[in-house]
Amino acid sequence: MHAVIMAGGSGTRLWPASRKHHPKQLHALVSDQTLIRETLERILLVVPPEHTWVFTNEGYVSKMRAEVPEVTPEHVVSEPFPLGTSLAIGLAALMVSLEDPTATLLVAWSDNTVTEAEAFREALTLADRAAQKADGVIVGVRPTYAATGYGYIKMGHPLHDGGLEGAYWIERFVEKPNAKTAQEYLEDGGYLWNPGIAVWRVDRLLELFARFCPEEHEALMRLRPALGTEGEAEAIHRELGPLKKEAIDYTIHERAEHLATIPADLGWSDIGTWAALKDVLPPNQGSNLVRGPWTGLHTEGCLIYAKDRLITTLGVTDLVIVDTGDCILVAHRDNSQQVKDLVDRLKEQGHTHYL
């Protein structure tokens, strides 16, 4: 098995801590280790470092290499522009196939947290075997509440091959549901959260690209001779630049007929917003989660993230307050998803030095 960690995003919903020059995957948000470091250590439970790859923004390459020194420097791949997950994973599959044409490829994400490391290892070990029968395998997370912010997987019939107990065919994918539907999914028991953690045989994944994304597949094949050469970045620009940048969920996942899933209890969360971080970490000051100097009265359910200056609060509930020294964010936790819109407004107003 090889693994690719997708680590190119700038994490705008975690602004102002996450910035263009220092994105969230390079922050220690959940523990005393950065998110990319936590991710790598989980991956090393099942994949050796020489088989591990990191795809990231070209501006983050040196910082990433410093965070993951076990990974072969050439395996920390610079995306000269945002590829979108479909092209990035297709390119990763192509690169791995040049080293091992029948390898399996684990796709992981640098902004996830997983608390149950052994369950993670067991699920991937089973997924590696199931990928020899299915076109691809997605590790599904058993839902613990009626989440409306995640996509879902509907489990179908079990795989009946010996040794694959615990693997199921995927009946369908479901977009983020409303609250009523999410509660129905939770009660049904046959639906899983879709974290996007997937295992593929690289040859079959490239066949799926040829079938469902022929233009992208042809571009990847034209790009192949340049990989590993000085002309790699130029060739990526030339061949992949003109193509539509899409999510693999739409190009492959929802089109392939023979995908399987492994339900698992991973203690998983997507650290995509400040509210998600508040949900992951236990409160440490009453009902509040506080990092840095703070004093407050009648303050409940808040996330307070301070750098050097003292933050004080009085009579507030369910707020996100983040002070990074040069700017401050104050938001209601229910509006955490809209921090990205706030960043867009800052761009429009020319405040790019804060981004």
Side-chain angles (χ1 to χ4, degrees):
M1 184 186 282
H2 288 242
V4 59
I5 302 171
M6 310 306 294
S10 58
T12 52
R13 290 184 180 87
L14 284 170
W15 182 87
S18 183
R19 310 275 184 108
K20 275 187 176 180
H21 67 279
H22 200 72
K24 64 179 177 180
Q25 54 268 33
L26 292 170
H27 283 271
L29 294 173
V30 178
S31 69
D32 58 356
Q33 294 184 315
T34 63
L35 290 177
I36 183 66
R37 184 72 221 171
E38 288 184 349
T39 303
L40 177 66
E41 294 194 359
R42 286 195 298 274
I43 298 303
L44 294 180
L45 295 173
V46 287
V47 178
E50 64 271 18
H51 286 176
T52 302
W53 305 66
V54 177
F55 270 48
T56 192
N57 182 295
E58 63 179 351
Y60 308 154
V61 169
S62 60
K63 291 180 179 180
M64 287 293 174
R65 286 175 176 164
E67 281 293 312
V68 293
E70 303 94 326
V71 175
T72 306
E74 292 75 21
H75 283 188
V76 180
V77 178
S78 168
E79 294 185 36
F81 51 87
L83 294 174
T85 59
S86 184
L87 283 176
I89 293 168
L91 180 57
L94 180 60
M95 289 178 165
V96 171
S97 73
L98 295 179
E99 294 191 7
D100 183 352
T102 61
T104 51
L105 175 64
L106 162 64
V107 176
W109 307 89
S110 63
D111 56 356
N112 291 177
T113 182
V114 170
T115 61
E116 302 301 324
E118 181 59 21
F120 181 77
R121 187 194 65 78
E122 291 176 356
L124 293 180
T125 301
L126 177 55
D128 188 31
R129 297 199 306 270
Q132 306 306 316
K133 178 177 177 63
D135 286 340
V137 183
I138 298 174
V139 177
V141 175
R142 291 189 179 93
T144 55
Y145 64 96
T148 58
Y150 301 143
Y152 284 73
I153 296 167
K154 176 70 168 73
M155 289 189 294
H157 297 294
L159 274 69
H160 292 296
D161 284 30
L164 295 180
E165 291 80 8
Y168 298 81
W169 292 112
I170 292 176
E171 186 173 307
R172 63 190 174 101
F173 293 93
V174 184
E175 286 297 314
K176 298 173 183 178
N178 58 34
K180 179 176 180 295
T181 304
Q183 183 62 38
E184 291 171 356
Y185 290 168
L186 181 65
E187 295 170 359
D188 180 279
Y191 289 83
L192 307 170
W193 289 339
N194 180 8
I197 302 169
V199 177
W200 313 83
R201 261 184 57 153
V202 291
D203 53 354
R204 289 185 184 167
L205 179 55
L206 290 171
E207 288 171 5
L208 291 174
F209 270 92
R211 180 178 174 190
F212 297 117
C213 312
E215 185 178 4
E216 288 81 351
H217 184 264
E218 290 169 9
L220 289 170
M221 293 303 105
R222 289 194 302 268
L223 176 59
R224 183 172 182 165
L227 296 180
T229 74
E230 292 183 357
E232 178 178 294
E234 180 184 348
I236 291 174
H237 264 291
R238 182 180 65 251
E239 300 296 347
L240 304 186
L243 299 177
K244 190 174 181 181
K245 312 307 184 287
E246 296 185 279
I248 196 168
D249 306 68
Y250 306 122
T251 60
I252 301 296
H253 290 190
E254 294 183 0
R255 297 181 181 180
E257 298 97 340
H258 301 292
L259 297 184
T261 187
I262 311 290
D265 298 308
L266 301 180
W268 171 87
S269 181
D270 174 17
I271 308 299
T273 66
W274 290 111
L277 182 63
K278 173 70 166 63
D279 291 338
V280 167
L281 297 175
N284 58 0
Q285 296 278 358
S287 62
N288 306 296
L289 173 62
V290 179
R291 294 271 185 93
W294 168 77
T295 297
L297 292 173
H298 310 300
T299 298
E300 302 293 337
C302 292
L303 183 150
I304 299 163
Y305 190 103
K307 188 176 182 182
D308 301 313
R309 294 181 293 190
L310 173 69
I311 292 178
T312 61
T313 57
L314 177 62
V316 296
T317 303
D318 292 337
L319 292 185
V320 170
I321 304 171
V322 182
D323 179 4
T324 55
D326 61 342
C327 58
I328 299 171
L329 168 71
V330 180
H332 194 280
R333 60 166 292 149
D334 291 346
N335 296 101
S336 289
Q337 288 283 353
Q338 294 171 272
V339 172
K340 183 178 185 296
D341 300 331
L342 186 61
V343 170
D344 290 339
R345 176 65 62 87
L346 290 171
K347 290 178 186 176
E348 293 170 5
Q349 295 180 345
H351 298 302
T352 55
H353 55 291
Y354 291 114
L355 305 179

